[in-house]
Amino acid sequence: MMKEKSLLVAFCVGFALLIVVNGGEYLIGVGSYDMTGPAAGVNMMGYANLDQNTAGIHFRLRARTFIVAESSQGARFAFVNLDAGMASQLVTIKVLERLKSRFGNLYTEENIAISGIHTHAGPGGYLQYLIYSITSLGFVQQSFDAIVTAIEQSIVQAHNNLKPGSIFINQGDVENAGINRSPSAYLLNPPEERAQYSANVDKEMTLLKFVDGASEKSIGAFSWYATHGTSMSKDNKLISGDNKGAAARFFEDWFTSSTKSSSNVITNSSTSSNNEKSNEKAEKIKATGGSRCGKTTSQGSKVRKNDGSLFVGAFCQSNVGDVTPNVLGAFCTDSGKPCDFNHSSCHGSDLLCLGRGPGYPDEILSTKIIGERQFQKAVDLFNSASEKLSGKIDYRHVYVNFTDIEVELNGNKVKTCPAGLGPGFAAGTTDGPGVFGFQQGDTEINKLWKKLRDVLKKPSQYQEECQKPKAILLSSGEMFEPYAWAPAILPIQMLRLGKLVILSVPGEFTTMAGRRLREAVKETLIINGNGEFDNDTHIVIAGLTNTYSQYIATFEEYKHQRYEAASTLYGPHTLSAYVQEFNILAKSMAKEEKVAKGPLPPDLYSVQLSLSINPIGESPPPNIKFGDIKQDITQPKSGSFEKGDRPSATFWSADPRYDLLTEGTYAVVEMLQGERWIPVYDDDDFCLFYRWKLDNTTWNSLATIEWEVPKDTSSGVYRLRHFGSSKKTKDAPNEYFTGASSAFTLS
C-alpha cells in the first residue's frame, strides 16, 4: 500500500511540474564549484610569459552553471561559465565522459556549452594542443583535474537543484569598462558599416535572471559582456578571476548581504572604552604554534560554505577580441607619451607600449574598478528585469574542419587555410607585449627568424599563398610532432531559450566580427523561422566556448595584421566561414531540421607530454612545525589598525600543490566573538591575499597572509589563520596543519 501511495505522489508531482512548465515556466537550476587549481609553480594561461608561475591566490576561481529544461523529460541545455582563460577540447571530452556515466545521454556535446571568462591569471596546462601548453612545460594533470571536476560538480549541483521557475532578460550598456586596443584595424572596416554603431566596442550587457517559481526568490544571474581579462598584468603571480571573476564575487556577496536579516549582521561599538578593552584582550592572545588538523578543517573555516543553495552570479565573455579593460589607453613606459597608433609601439619597440587600467599603476585596483563597473550594471539590470522569456528550448551543434572550408564570396569561391600565426602574434598586445623585434602590423619576417622558424617547420607554399597578407611565423596547422600543435576540427553551437539565442564560438571574435555574425544569424532565423523569430530576438555571442582556436578578425582587419589578425588562424576568410557555418545551423534550427554531426576532434589525452616538476616531499626546518609563525603581525604604534591598513603575517608552510584545499581555504581572517573565533574573510575574498614563496636560506615554503581591511569592517579583535598540507615524501600520506597569528585590534 505504501509503495502504491509513493507512486501516486510521484505521478502527481511529476504531472504538476509538467503543467507548471508548460504553463509558461521552465525548470531551472544553478550550481557553482571551486576550480582554483595549483597555487604554486604552474605557468599561467594567457600571456605566454615563462616567468609567470602561480605563487598564491588573490581570490579563488569557480565554475558556475545554469541548466534550463522545458520539463523533466523535455529539451534542456547546460551553460557553464569558467573562471579560466578559455575552454579546452580535452576538458570538454573528459567532462562528457563523466556526465555520461552519471546521467546517460541526458547531457551531451549537443546541449552543453563550456565557456571561459578569459582571465590571464589562472593555472595553465589543461589544453590539448601543443602551442597552448609550451609555456606551462606541457600538460599539468592537477590543473586539468581541478577544472574537469569543478565543471562536473557544478553541473551535478545545477541538475539536482532543478525546479520550476522563471527567467527574465534585460540589456543595457556598461560604461567605461572596455576600449578598442586595435583602433587602427577597426577603422579599416567599411565607413557605412561603422556608421551603424556609436562606438568601436560593444558596450551592451545581456543579463538573465533566474527566479524560483515557488518562493519567488532569485537563485542566480548570468550576464554576457565583452572585455578582456587583462586587468591583472603579465607580471602578476596570484591566481585571480580578474575583472569578471571579481564582478561575480561582488555580485554574489551583494545579493547575499541584501537578503540577509539584520539579526545576522555583526555590529560593534567603536567607542574609546571598547577599543581599550579590545586592545587589552588582543595583547593577551599570542600566535599559536603550528598544529595538526583534519583534511576538511579548512572547509569548516570557509565564510561561504558550498551546500548547493548559494546564489550564483556569473559574468560571461563575448566578442572580446579587440577589447581591453585598460581604459586609460596605451602609453610608452619611457616617455609617458601615447604609443604609435598603427603599431602600438614606442620607437619601434613593442615592449615599451603598455595599456593602463583605471587604477594605474595599481593593477589590483584596476581589476576592482572594472569588476565593479560590470557588477553595478548587472545589479541595475537584475533589479529592473521585467521581460520574461518563454518558448522553445532547442540546440544545434556540429564539428567543422576549419582548415579547408569553401566559402562563396561575392560570386567567387574562396577557402580557409591550415592554422598559421603571423609576426604580429609574437608582438603581443598593449595588454601584454610579446617578443623583442616584432611589431603589430608586421607583414615581413627577417632572415634570422625565418631560419629559426624553418627549423621547426617550413610552411608549405600553399600555406604562404593562402594566408596572405599574413607572413607565416609559425605554421602551427602543419605541425604534428610530437602531436598536433593547433586545432583543425572545431565545435560550433547554438542554444535557444525562447527568443534568446546563444552562439557558442571557440575563439575571440573582434567587435566587428561579432556584430557581423550576430546580424547574419538573426537574419537567417527571421527569414526561415515562420514568424518564431523577429527583430526582438536576442542574439548573444559566448566567446572562448567548448574549445579554443584564438582570434577571428574581419577580412578588412586581417589586412592590417595587428595582433588579432595575425592570430586569426585559418586565414583571411575565417570570419566568412564562421558566418556560413552558423547560418547553416540557424536555418536548421528555424526549420526544425537536424544537422550532420561532422568529423570528431581528436582526443589527445594519451599523448600529452609534461616537463613540469611536482613537489616530492617537504619537511620544516629543525625545531619548527608547519604552521608556526615566521613573521608575526607588526602591531601599529597606536595599538589598533584602521580601515585600509594591511596587517600581514608569514607562516612556515608547505607547497600548496600537496592538496588544493578545494572548497576550503589557505587563509582566513577570524574575529573574536565571545570566546570563539569566527571566520569573516577567506581566500575567496578580494581583500585577502595568500602569497607563497620559498625561503631564500632554508628553501622551505613560506605562506604570507595579507589583509587589506575593507571600509565596512566592524571594529573588534582579529587574527590571521593559515591552513595547509604537506608530505614527507612523494608517496607519503598528506598531513594537514594550521597556525594563527597574534591577535590585533581594529578600531
Side-chain angles (χ1 to χ4, degrees):
M1 186 68 176
M2 284 296 294
K3 186 176 181 181
E4 291 176 355
K5 284 184 177 180
S6 297
L7 288 172
L8 180 61
V9 169
F11 174 79
C12 291
V13 170
F15 185 68
L17 282 177
L18 193 62
I19 291 174
V20 170
V21 174
N22 286 345
E25 295 190 324
Y26 301 102
L27 291 180
I28 59 173
V30 296
S32 174
Y33 202 79
D34 184 357
M35 53 164 277
T36 301
V42 173
N43 192 254
M44 289 180 167
M45 182 63 204
Y47 287 116
N49 177 12
L50 281 165
D51 295 326
Q52 192 188 18
N53 297 320
T54 58
I57 297 173
H58 178 202
F59 58 94
R60 285 189 170 253
L61 310 179
R62 303 197 70 79
R64 296 174 171 90
T65 294
F66 77 82
I67 297 176
V68 292
E70 289 181 350
S71 67
S72 58
Q73 301 300 317
R76 69 180 61 203
F77 69 79
F79 188 94
V80 186
N81 185 57
L82 298 181
D83 284 348
M86 61 282 292
S88 156
Q89 185 67 67
L90 192 56
V91 165
T92 300
I93 289 170
K94 297 309 174 186
V95 166
L96 291 172
E97 288 177 359
R98 292 193 186 187
L99 293 178
K100 186 174 179 64
S101 68
R102 281 182 179 270
F103 301 113
N105 292 322
L106 192 61
Y107 299 105
T108 69
E109 62 203 356
E110 299 273 334
N111 65 346
I112 286 183
I114 303 173
S115 179
I117 64 170
H118 210 33
T119 176
H120 285 42
Y126 63 92
L127 291 96
Q128 75 169 352
Y129 296 103
L130 188 60
I131 197 166
Y132 307 130
S133 60
I134 291 173
T135 55
S136 62
L137 302 180
F139 187 71
V140 180
Q141 188 71 53
Q142 195 175 41
S143 180
F144 179 83
D145 288 344
I147 295 173
V148 170
T149 298
I151 296 170
E152 176 193 18
Q153 292 302 320
S154 69
I155 290 173
V156 169
Q157 208 176 84
H159 175 86
N160 291 339
N161 286 338
L162 281 169
K163 62 190 75 173
S166 300
I167 304 171
F168 296 86
I169 189 169
N170 204 358
Q171 293 175 307
D173 286 353
V174 183
E175 295 298 335
N176 204 23
I179 62 171
N180 199 303
R181 70 184 184 190
S182 289
S184 60
Y186 180 88
L187 287 173
L188 295 178
N189 293 305
E192 61 274 14
E193 182 179 35
R194 289 187 280 111
Q196 299 174 38
Y197 304 97
S198 60
N200 61 4
V201 293
D202 285 337
K203 296 183 179 183
E204 189 172 73
M205 173 183 283
T206 299
L207 178 136
L208 297 182
K209 177 179 180 179
F210 299 87
V211 180
D212 183 339
S215 66
E216 296 186 349
K217 293 181 179 179
S218 299
I219 61 171
F222 280 63
S223 62
W224 289 264
Y225 167 74
T227 194
H228 250 83
T230 50
S231 293
M232 302 291 282
S233 75
K234 71 174 187 176
D235 298 319
N236 162 64
K237 296 185 179 181
L238 297 180
I239 289 175
S240 171
D242 210 278
N243 56 69
K244 285 191 176 291
R249 169 54 54 235
F250 300 155
F251 195 98
E252 290 172 348
D253 287 350
W254 164 80
F255 182 85
T256 300
S257 64
S258 66
T259 56
K260 188 188 296 183
S261 65
S262 59
S263 61
N264 291 330
V265 177
I266 299 171
T267 58
N268 283 277
S269 171
S270 59
T271 64
S272 59
S273 60
N274 279 345
N275 283 341
E276 289 172 5
K277 292 178 182 178
S278 295
N279 286 336
E280 291 174 7
K281 189 177 290 187
E283 287 175 5
K284 296 177 182 178
I285 304 170
K286 302 303 180 182
T288 64
S291 61
R292 295 283 186 91
C293 64
K295 181 177 182 178
T296 60
T297 305
S298 77
Q299 294 181 10
S301 291
K302 285 288 287 183
V303 176
R304 310 163 191 80
K305 294 178 175 62
N306 184 14
D307 60 0
S309 64
L310 295 176
F311 178 90
V312 177
F315 287 73
C316 312
Q317 196 54 269
S318 192
N319 52 317
V320 67
D322 52 2
V323 187
T324 175
N326 295 311
V327 294
L328 298 186
F331 297 87
C332 298
T333 56
D334 58 347
S335 67
K337 295 180 179 179
C339 305
D340 173 81
F341 182 72
N342 287 315
H343 301 284
S344 293
S345 62
C346 304
H347 331 298
S349 172
D350 62 304
L351 301 183
L352 298 176
C353 178
L354 283 171
R356 295 179 180 178
Y360 174 82
D362 186 340
E363 63 185 334
I364 300 284
L365 180 57
S366 290
T367 301
K368 182 180 181 181
I369 293 171
I370 297 298
E372 284 179 337
R373 288 172 182 172
Q374 293 174 77
F375 152 65
Q376 292 291 353
K377 175 50 64 174
V379 169
D380 292 344
L381 297 176
F382 181 85
N383 286 332
S384 61
S386 60
E387 181 184 345
K388 189 174 180 179
L389 288 174
S390 62
K392 188 177 296 184
I393 290 174
D394 201 0
Y395 46 83
R396 293 291 184 277
H397 178 285
V398 67
Y399 291 112
V400 182
N401 186 341
F402 260 78
T403 67
D404 190 31
I405 299 175
E406 188 172 85
V407 182
E408 188 167 322
L409 204 61
N410 300 323
N412 299 314
K413 290 185 177 180
V414 296
K415 296 188 78 171
T416 55
C417 319
L421 295 164
F425 160 76
T429 72
T430 56
D431 294 335
V435 180
F436 177 77
F438 293 95
Q439 289 190 87
Q440 294 192 67
D442 282 350
T443 55
E444 298 291 337
I445 305 171
N446 68 41
K447 291 180 179 180
L448 174 61
W449 281 109
K450 279 187 177 180
K451 287 180 179 179
L452 293 172
R453 173 200 70 183
D454 292 349
V455 170
L456 290 172
K457 171 66 180 178
K458 184 176 181 179
S460 66
Q461 186 175 351
Y462 172 80
Q463 172 77 317
E464 291 190 313
E465 290 296 321
C466 186
Q467 291 271 0
K468 283 183 176 179
K470 180 196 294 176
I472 304 300
L473 178 66
L474 199 63
S475 190
S476 53
E478 297 182 313
M479 301 169 72
F480 301 99
E481 297 296 335
Y483 48 89
W485 282 55
I489 298 168
L490 303 180
I492 61 171
Q493 180 187 52
M494 289 178 60
L495 306 171
R496 179 187 176 186
L497 177 56
K499 284 198 172 183
L500 170 68
V501 175
I502 301 170
L503 308 182
S504 300
V505 301
E508 305 176 53
F509 277 63
T510 64
T511 298
M512 194 62 86
R515 289 167 174 171
R516 289 184 190 177
L517 179 63
R518 289 198 305 262
E519 291 301 316
V521 167
K522 189 172 189 175
E523 182 180 1
T524 300
L525 289 171
I526 293 172
I527 291 172
N528 295 279
N530 295 320
E532 278 198 69
F533 301 95
D534 54 32
N535 285 325
D536 293 328
T537 300
H538 305 279
I539 309 290
V540 167
I541 289 177
L544 307 109
T545 301
N546 295 330
T547 193
Y548 184 61
S549 60
Q550 293 174 253
Y551 284 75
I552 301 92
T554 67
F555 180 79
E556 294 83 0
E557 292 163 351
Y558 189 88
K559 294 176 183 177
H560 198 1
Q561 281 300 298
R562 285 181 61 99
Y563 178 83
E564 294 80 16
S567 305
T568 296
L569 292 184
Y570 309 107
H573 305 297
T574 300
L575 174 59
S576 296
Y578 268 103
V579 170
Q580 172 181 283
E581 299 304 317
F582 265 105
N583 276 339
I584 292 171
L585 290 190
K587 186 175 181 179
S588 71
M589 179 176 282
K591 290 181 172 292
E592 299 185 2
E593 299 171 346
K594 293 184 178 181
V595 290
K597 190 173 185 176
L600 290 177
D603 178 347
L604 301 179
Y605 185 75
S606 63
V607 298
Q608 293 296 307
L609 300 176
S610 179
L611 300 176
S612 60
I613 300 173
N614 294 320
I616 57 174
E618 209 165 335
S619 296
N623 303 316
I624 290 175
K625 301 188 297 294
F626 285 126
D628 281 355
I629 282 280
K630 184 178 189 295
Q631 179 64 55
D632 203 359
I633 297 281
T634 301
Q635 299 286 353
K637 292 181 180 179
S638 65
S640 294
F641 286 99
E642 298 180 357
K643 316 295 173 65
D645 286 344
R646 299 175 78 107
S648 67
T650 299
F651 300 80
W652 291 103
S653 190
D655 195 303
R657 285 177 288 179
Y658 293 119
D659 191 314
L660 304 182
L661 300 186
T662 301
E663 292 294 358
T665 181
Y666 294 105
V668 177
V669 176
E670 294 180 323
M671 181 181 184
L672 187 62
Q673 294 186 39
E675 301 300 319
R676 297 178 59 216
W677 288 103
I678 305 299
V680 289
Y681 297 98
D682 60 34
D683 67 9
D684 213 10
D685 280 286
F686 197 88
C687 64
L688 189 63
F689 303 87
Y690 159 66
R691 304 179 192 274
W692 174 88
K693 72 173 185 177
L694 291 175
D695 181 60
N696 290 333
T697 55
T698 65
W699 292 102
N700 282 95
S701 293
L702 297 175
T704 297
I705 299 173
E706 182 181 8
W707 181 35
E708 184 178 13
V709 183
K711 294 180 180 179
D712 58 353
T713 308
S714 301
S715 301
V717 177
Y718 292 85
R719 70 177 183 180
L720 305 179
R721 192 175 179 191
H722 172 49
F723 293 94
S725 69
S726 66
K727 286 186 176 186
K728 292 179 180 177
T729 63
K730 180 181 178 182
D731 299 320
N734 273 36
E735 297 178 357
Y736 294 84
F737 61 85
T738 185
S741 73
S742 296
F744 57 92
T745 304
L746 180 66
S747 64

